[in-house]
Amino acid sequence: MSEGAPWLVIIGLGEDGPEGLSPASRAALERAEIVMGPPRHLSLLPDLGTERVEWPVPFSDGLDLLEGFRGRRVAVLASGDPFWFGAGSVIARRFGPGEWRALPGVSCFALAAARLGWALDRTLCLGHHAAPLTRLRPYLAPGVRMILTLRDGEAAADLGGYLAGLGFGSSHLWVMEALGGPRERVAEVRAEAVSEEFSHPVVVAVEVAGEGAALPRASGIDDTFFDSDGVMTKRPVRALTLSALAPKPGERLWDIGGGSGSIGIEWLLSHPSTQAVAIEPRADRIALINANAAALGVDRLQVVAGHAPQALAGLDAPDVVFVGGGLSAALLDWLFAHLPGGTRLVANAVTLESEAQLIAAHAERGGDLLRIELAQAAALGPRRGWKAAYPVVQWSVTL
């Protein structure tokens, strides 16, 4: 190994083994002292006369093992393009940029699109080999095309059942085994009819169809998407609240008084890079929050049990705070004393006592004060009239 040259090379290997490798990848394999990878990848290689090391389970143990080979010429095998839902980014985070180089192969997404003639730039590509199927929920709408990696062959039937259970059973699935290799097989089936067994590795292309309910992309999705014990920010007020919270990519929300989790969940639905923490003292409502978050595909919602402000200690600082329950002068004082300048705060009040606190806080600290009064048509004897909801006072301020 020449001085200053990377000791580690990450090679994307397809199901056709070394036949599909570029000349650079072949040369890197031939120069390697150690070839490391999952058993399936190693089995695709001929005898190269090099030491072979199986990547252990769990995956993190392999990083420690690889660390011990530092200074020797090591080739790590990964599937297709190692930086598209693969191991490449994890390895790159562990080792410095001068220690490794990557020689990617053809991704399974490219192979799947090529089999179907789909435009890859207009197809949703998702890695679900280690993720719950519920994370698909925000994307499910008739006409959507997606390509998914799955953990194993049995997961194809799980995917079909999941889609059928949401009313998308007529979706078309193309289940693709061992793309690019001699075992390649493509089976076309409707989601509600997946029954045969498939072998790993599996990629599934989906064209969504059916009468299932698609999640709206605007704030204020219908209340029926949430399970609730009755304590929930209702759709019109939730839409106005999300507008005031104004989520941006990468921002973190504290949702104090999580209730059913609707505010935090819609915050997370706004962009895949957003983060949210729901603070809720009641165990039954924590269960509701977790169930709603999982059902709507945002299980990344963090839930903290306890009362604010005590439960806030030690949490990563937020960009935005919503106070939907447990409002008090002490809580507001704590937030202003402990959070950095520029943090946005939105608080809703329904009772006269909490409204008075927001009016006083507005007078002392500025910001915007909004009174939301809504009425809905309802039966009034044989006719109809307006049934007013409790007014909501909303205070928005930047610390």
Side-chain angles (χ1 to χ4, degrees), residues 11 14 18 34 54 65-66 72 79 105 113 126-127 135 141 152 165 177 211 223 226 249 253 260 267 306 312 374 384:
I11 298 175
I34 299 171
E54 292 188 3
L65 187 60
L66 186 57
R72 301 176 67 185
S79 296
L126 299 169
R135 292 188 190 171
D152 55 31
E177 300 172 275
E211 302 299 322
D223 294 344
F226 302 96
L253 170 74
S260 64
W267 170 278
L312 306 177
L374 300 169
R384 292 178 300 157

Side-chain angles (χ1 to χ4, degrees), residues 180-378:
R183 295 192 302 110
E184 178 176 317
R185 184 171 74 103
V186 178
E188 183 178 354
V189 65
R190 284 162 62 101
E192 60 196 5
V194 179
S195 59
E196 65 178 296
E197 295 183 359
F198 300 94
S199 59
H200 187 70
V202 171
V203 177
V204 180
V206 182
E207 190 168 56
V208 182
E211 302 299 322
L215 289 180
R217 305 310 295 174
S219 297
I221 66 177
D222 196 273
D223 294 344
T224 56
F225 283 107
F226 302 96
D227 284 334
S228 171
D229 61 0
V231 179
M232 181 177 73
T233 305
K234 299 301 190 289
R235 182 184 61 79
V237 176
R238 193 179 338 113
L240 290 169
T241 300
L242 266 295
S243 177
L245 292 170
K248 301 178 182 64
E251 288 191 325
R252 178 183 293 107
L253 170 74
W254 282 0
D255 178 10
I256 299 176
S260 64
S262 61
I263 292 291
I265 288 170
E266 286 219 47
W267 170 278
L268 293 174
L269 287 171
S270 69
H271 195 272
S273 68
T274 51
Q275 304 169 64
V277 182
I279 296 90
E280 172 57 52
R282 286 180 46 171
D284 56 339
R285 289 182 179 163
I286 289 173
L288 270 178
I289 293 171
N290 286 325
N292 283 327
L296 295 175
V298 288
D299 55 296
R300 68 184 189 277
L301 176 62
Q302 179 185 353
V303 183
V304 173
H307 293 271
Q310 296 88 345
L312 306 177
L315 297 180
D316 291 336
D319 301 284
V320 188
V321 177
F322 172 61
V323 182
L327 178 67
S328 67
L331 174 59
L332 295 179
D333 288 342
W334 190 96
L335 295 173
F336 274 83
H338 290 81
L339 297 184
T343 304
R344 306 193 301 278
L345 170 65
V346 176
N348 287 357
V350 177
T351 67
L352 292 174
E353 291 78 8
S354 56
E355 179 180 329
Q357 290 177 348
L358 292 190
I359 292 172
H362 174 255
E364 179 184 355
R365 306 181 190 272
D368 296 313
L369 204 59
L370 176 69
R371 183 178 172 89
I372 304 168
E373 298 189 69
L374 300 169
Q376 190 170 9

Side-chain angles (χ1 to χ4, degrees), residues 133 150-165 173 191 194:
L133 293 173
L150 296 179
R151 70 177 187 274
D152 55 31
E154 293 181 0
D158 296 338
L159 172 62
Y162 176 70
L163 293 172
L173 271 58
V194 179

Side-chain angles (χ1 to χ4, degrees), residues 164-189:
L166 291 172
F168 297 106
S170 57
S171 298
H172 287 85
L173 271 58
W174 290 264
V175 185
M176 306 177 182
E177 300 172 275
L179 276 177
R183 295 192 302 110
E184 178 176 317
R185 184 171 74 103
V186 178
E188 183 178 354
V189 65

